[in-house]
Amino acid sequence: MQRYFIDEIKDDTAIITGDNFHHIVRVMRMKLDDQVYLVTPDERTAIASIKELGEDFIRLTVLSWKNESSELPIAITIASGLPKGDKLEWITQKGTELGAKQFLSFPAKRSISKWDGKKAKKKVERLDKIALEAAEQSHRHFVPHFRHLESFQALVEEIANYDHVVVAYEESAKSGEKSALATLFGKVKPGESVLAIFGPEGGFATDEVDKLAAHQAVQVGLGPRILRTETAPLYFLGAASYAFELSKNG
């Protein structure tokens, strides 16, 4: 069944308009009594049946509620130093599939890409749409949102909003550090938040890493191989999924 994120379900009734209406009627060509999943902002999922097809709305009635959740037990925000091209689209799409709660971008010293105000607004709208489509496809109960930070200092100030902060640093991997990530996951409790920070293609400048460390960001290596800027966040999310969802201790 198709999955749609909606604003509310009231008295077991939902009204769908706009893009979701268009998708159901024009793209999927659904009929009366066809069923869909509806996901509300409080991360609840209902199985609902179409009871009325109007000119610009659909009325659905809830048949049952699903109790299980597909969300990671910890809230991971991925922060990426602006990379080139469409790499943020890849990170957002695949990161949503892997359970990220939120995405941030920021200009780093070695970022080649530059976003001005108008460009940033359009980019964020595009990335939010990608996250929505990926959340529907992967049966998420929550749609991650994308925010662009205007400066590296804004990223530093963002740190105070999280329970744990890590920065993926290739020098840690080169030096053979193997335990920092596992130690972090051993400390994080279900329900806590983690900000995971990744550099652009050229990596972080030394003073950027020092500044993050001064604000209690823990440096972690992601194995012995050097990963691309679009691969590293997915490695981190996969490791988190294993640690908190799949391992016998998770």
Side-chain angles (χ1 to χ4, degrees):
M1 288 191 296
Q2 293 293 310
R3 174 171 296 243
Y4 299 96
F5 290 85
I6 64 173
D7 293 333
E8 67 173 357
I9 295 175
K10 189 174 182 179
D11 298 328
D12 283 340
T13 298
I15 303 297
I16 287 181
T17 59
D19 289 343
N20 284 340
F21 167 83
H22 175 80
H23 189 266
I24 290 172
V25 175
R26 310 299 182 204
V27 179
M28 301 306 299
R29 299 185 181 278
M30 292 187 189
K31 304 177 183 65
L32 291 176
D33 297 325
D34 282 350
Q35 296 178 13
V36 298
Y37 289 119
L38 300 179
V39 186
T40 58
D42 59 357
E43 301 183 24
R44 300 179 69 208
T45 299
I47 298 174
S49 175
I50 297 174
K51 295 304 178 185
E52 183 179 0
L53 289 166
E55 288 294 323
D56 58 359
F57 75 93
I58 302 167
R59 180 175 61 82
L60 304 98
T61 298
V62 172
L63 302 177
S64 63
W65 291 91
K66 294 175 66 67
N67 294 320
E68 69 270 18
S69 175
S70 60
E71 296 302 308
L72 276 169
I74 63 174
I76 297 177
T77 293
I78 300 296
S80 298
L82 280 177
K84 296 183 293 185
D86 61 358
K87 291 178 181 178
L88 278 178
E89 295 186 4
W90 173 266
I91 292 169
T92 301
Q93 182 186 62
K94 301 309 176 185
T96 297
E97 292 177 23
L98 288 167
K101 198 76 170 182
Q102 184 180 206
F103 297 93
L104 304 175
S105 61
F106 61 92
K109 283 189 173 181
R110 294 175 181 168
S111 290
I112 296 174
S113 179
K114 306 294 180 184
W115 288 10
D116 59 24
K118 184 179 292 187
K119 182 178 182 180
K121 184 176 184 294
K122 290 182 178 179
K123 288 278 191 180
V124 168
E125 289 173 354
R126 166 72 175 156
L127 292 164
D128 272 343
K129 183 177 180 181
I130 288 171
L132 172 60
E133 292 171 350
E136 291 172 343
Q137 180 275 321
S138 57
H139 285 206
R140 292 283 302 272
H141 289 72
F142 180 85
V143 182
H145 289 289
F146 198 101
R147 284 196 295 133
H148 176 61
L149 305 177
E150 297 292 339
S151 66
F152 185 81
Q153 180 58 34
L155 173 69
V156 173
E157 293 170 2
E158 186 77 15
I159 288 175
N161 298 324
Y162 297 86
D163 298 310
H164 306 272
V165 181
V166 298
V167 53
Y169 191 40
E170 64 182 24
E171 296 304 321
S172 296
K174 288 179 181 178
S175 66
E177 178 275 304
K178 298 179 180 179
S179 64
L181 186 58
T183 299
L184 168 77
F185 287 154
K187 291 179 179 178
V188 181
K189 298 179 177 61
E192 290 187 331
S193 59
V194 177
L195 174 62
I197 306 171
F198 302 86
E201 288 87 354
F204 284 111
T206 302
D207 64 316
E208 290 175 322
V209 174
D210 291 342
K211 195 166 188 178
L212 293 172
H215 287 77
Q216 312 308 311
V218 177
Q219 297 174 26
V220 299
L222 302 179
R225 294 161 293 280
I226 302 303
L227 304 179
R228 291 178 179 269
T229 186
E230 68 271 31
T231 307
L234 308 186
Y235 178 107
F236 184 88
L237 289 163
S241 176
Y242 177 79
F244 291 96
E245 296 178 317
L246 303 180
S247 74
K248 63 181 180 180
N249 296 319

